[in-house]
Amino acid sequence: MKTQLFISHPDIHRSTTQQFLKATASNEEGINIVHLDEEKEFAVDYHRELIKKADRLILQFPLYWYSCPYSMKKWIDEVLTTHLVIPNQIKELGIVVNVGKKATAYQAGGSERFTLSEFLRPFEAISHILGWKYLSPFVIYQFDYMSEPQKQQMLVDYLRYLTQEDYFSTKAKEDWFIKRANQYAYTTNESINYFEFIQTMKENQDTRLELEWMVKEMKE
Amino acid sequence: MKTQLFISHPDIHRSTTQQFLKATASNEEGINIVHLDEEKEFAVDYHRELIKKADRLILQFPLYWYSCPYSMKKWIDEVLTTHLVIPNQIKELGIVVNVGKKATAYQAGGSERFTLSEFLRPFEAISHILGWKYLSPFVIYQFDYMSEPQKQQMLVDYLRYLTQEDYFSTKAKEDWFIKRANQYAYTTNESINYFEFIQTMKENQDTRLELEWMVKEMKE
């Protein structure tokens, strides 16, 4: 699966969140990264090619005044066109957004009044009009207040959001972890026994699939 | 009442809608107009002064990909700051937005899926966080398909949106028309009898207020 990541941040070098995410995504195969603020004028045709080639598009930015920073809006205004609609082609759009307030602020009665689903409606509508499948946004709340284990967990979820096919399937999630563990098993010097982990994971998956099959049979 | 109008449109000279609106607003006293796309870099302090001085702020733009064009977003990102919050000061924020689709497209099940209230949530939240009163957006649907009388009617409503104090009050609406008619009565060469119009308008207003008072008395 090819993932195209477009990042918008006017001051990315000073953003610990964006540096953390970028460092993670940069080491991945199959992910192409473009930082929009580095381009004074967008090479429109080139960007459209990047979009066409990707299976999953990710727009990543900090929430500025309840929307994307203007460099992302400029990119949307200039690069997107309904000519990008290709019938029968399955393409996904994901949004990675980091916010400074805590999750409870984004609800009726909260300080921000509305949910992030509502603030991001324009992206959902873009996805719809271009025939793309909209993935539930990946929201990072208050990165700077996260503990180290929380950050590591978030990072794994972030990588899955970028690279896991069939994002909402439990089986795909298990397969993603097994594939990862296989990669690490042969390359790492860590003392973790990845082979044991893979074995357990596979057994659990088999048990789960068997149970699911039994429940299905019983219903019928 | 001082109204500050900020217009964003990357190609305003070719927009019949924007030309029509601008021509109308330009002849009005008490309205200051700034076209954001004419400024390469925003004089941030100057723009903040404009905001501070105004009683009503109007952001006017065509809907581009379900939001404002990027020049407006740049202005929001660079000019707005929570330091603009002044306790006990009443300031209003209005949005004038023109769209190419018809009104019925903006609803659940419609081609655009969501309402304009939803797409414009970021503006509503900005208004809230800065302590401003949010006026229901003034939406112009399919300007090019309007008949001449429809355009004239829309123009009057637009001027009221920009200049009428207490925008949602019926009395303020009547007073606005009476004041306008008074201005025209002494300046126009048209054959319309404005004095008669004013007389009728005032009588109707008196009758209405009397009825309202009676209903109130009866309830008590």
Side-chain angles (χ1 to χ4, degrees), chain A residues 63-115:
Chain A
L63 197 71
Y64 273 23
W65 293 104
Y66 311 105
S67 186
C68 60
Y70 78 86
S71 63
M72 176 70 76
K73 189 61 188 23
K74 185 170 193 270
W75 180 86
I76 289 171
D77 287 355
E78 295 182 352
V79 173
L80 296 189
T81 157
T82 47
H83 295 131
L84 287 167
V85 178
I86 302 161
N88 304 321
Q89 195 207 46
I90 293 164
K91 204 184 282 292
E92 298 171 317
L93 176 68
I95 310 289
V96 175
V97 61
N98 63 303
V99 300
K101 298 265 164 77
K102 53 189 176 183
T104 50
Y106 297 93
Q107 60 178 323
S111 68
E112 312 304 292
R113 301 195 101 186
F114 303 109
T115 61

Side-chain angles (χ1 to χ4, degrees), chain B residues 56-99:
Chain B
R56 184 172 294 169
L57 298 166
I58 303 285
L59 305 184
Q60 180 174 312
F61 51 85
L63 197 72
Y64 274 23
W65 293 104
Y66 310 105
S67 185
C68 61
Y70 78 86
S71 63
M72 178 69 77
K73 190 59 184 30
K74 185 170 194 270
W75 180 85
I76 289 170
D77 287 356
E78 295 181 353
V79 173
L80 295 189
T81 156
T82 47
H83 295 130
L84 287 166
V85 178
I86 302 162
N88 303 319
Q89 196 206 44
I90 295 164
K91 203 186 283 293
E92 297 171 318
L93 177 69
I95 310 290
V96 175
V97 61
N98 62 302
V99 300

Side-chain angles (χ1 to χ4, degrees), chain B residues 4 14 27 36 44 47 60 79 87 89 98 117-118 120 145 155 162 165 172 181 184:
Chain B
Q4 175 60 50
R14 288 181 57 191
N27 289 322
L36 299 179
V44 172
H47 280 262
Q60 180 174 312
V79 173
Q89 196 206 44
N98 62 302
S117 288
E118 282 169 287
L120 299 173
Y145 296 161
L155 212 77
L162 264 53
E165 294 184 41
Y184 288 133

Side-chain angles (χ1 to χ4, degrees), chain B residues 57-199:
Chain B
L57 298 166
I58 303 285
L59 305 184
Q60 180 174 312
F61 51 85
L63 197 72
Y64 274 23
W65 293 104
Y66 310 105
S67 185
C68 61
Y70 78 86
S71 63
M72 178 69 77
K73 190 59 184 30
K74 185 170 194 270
W75 180 85
I76 289 170
D77 287 356
E78 295 181 353
V79 173
L80 295 189
T81 156
T82 47
H83 295 130
L84 287 166
V85 178
I86 302 162
N88 303 319
Q89 196 206 44
I90 295 164
K91 203 186 283 293
E92 297 171 318
L93 177 69
I95 310 290
V96 175
V97 61
N98 62 302
V99 300
K101 299 265 164 77
K102 52 189 177 182
T104 50
Y106 297 93
Q107 59 179 323
S111 68
E112 311 304 291
R113 302 196 102 185
F114 303 108
T115 62
L116 278 160
S117 288
E118 282 169 287
F119 286 136
L120 299 173
R121 285 279 189 258
F123 295 93
E124 190 175 352
I126 285 171
S127 191
H128 175 70
I129 214 85
L130 295 180
W132 301 340
K133 191 185 161 191
Y134 190 61
L135 301 179
S136 303
F138 185 87
V139 186
I140 303 161
Y141 297 98
Q142 299 192 304
F143 177 82
D144 290 332
Y145 296 161
M146 282 183 186
S147 66
E148 209 45 49
Q150 281 174 327
K151 283 183 185 173
Q152 292 304 325
Q153 178 60 52
M154 186 272 282
L155 212 77
V156 173
D157 294 338
Y158 171 69
L159 271 184
R160 286 206 305 111
Y161 192 75
L162 264 53
T163 64
Q164 181 190 307
E165 294 184 41
D166 203 359
Y167 182 65
F168 293 101
S169 136
T170 306
K171 185 172 181 307
K173 185 174 171 179
E174 290 163 346
D175 289 343
W176 188 86
F177 276 108
I178 291 168
K179 194 180 154 196
R180 290 263 138 180
N182 260 311
Q183 287 169 358
Y184 288 133
Y186 293 101
T187 55
T188 189
N189 294 319
E190 294 172 47
S191 60
I192 303 164
N193 192 334
Y194 279 106
F195 296 107
E196 204 174 291
F197 169 82
I198 293 165
Q199 194 55 37

Side-chain angles (χ1 to χ4, degrees), chain A residues 10-12 30 34 51-52 55 72 83 85 93 109 113 120 122 137 144 159 177 182 196 200-201 207 217:
Chain A
D11 199 7
I12 200 166
V34 171
I51 293 173
K52 280 179 196 163
D55 301 301
M72 176 70 76
H83 295 131
V85 178
L93 176 68
R113 301 195 101 186
L120 299 173
D144 290 331
L159 270 183
F177 276 108
N182 261 311
E196 202 173 295
T200 313
M201 195 93 189
T207 313
E217 283 283 291

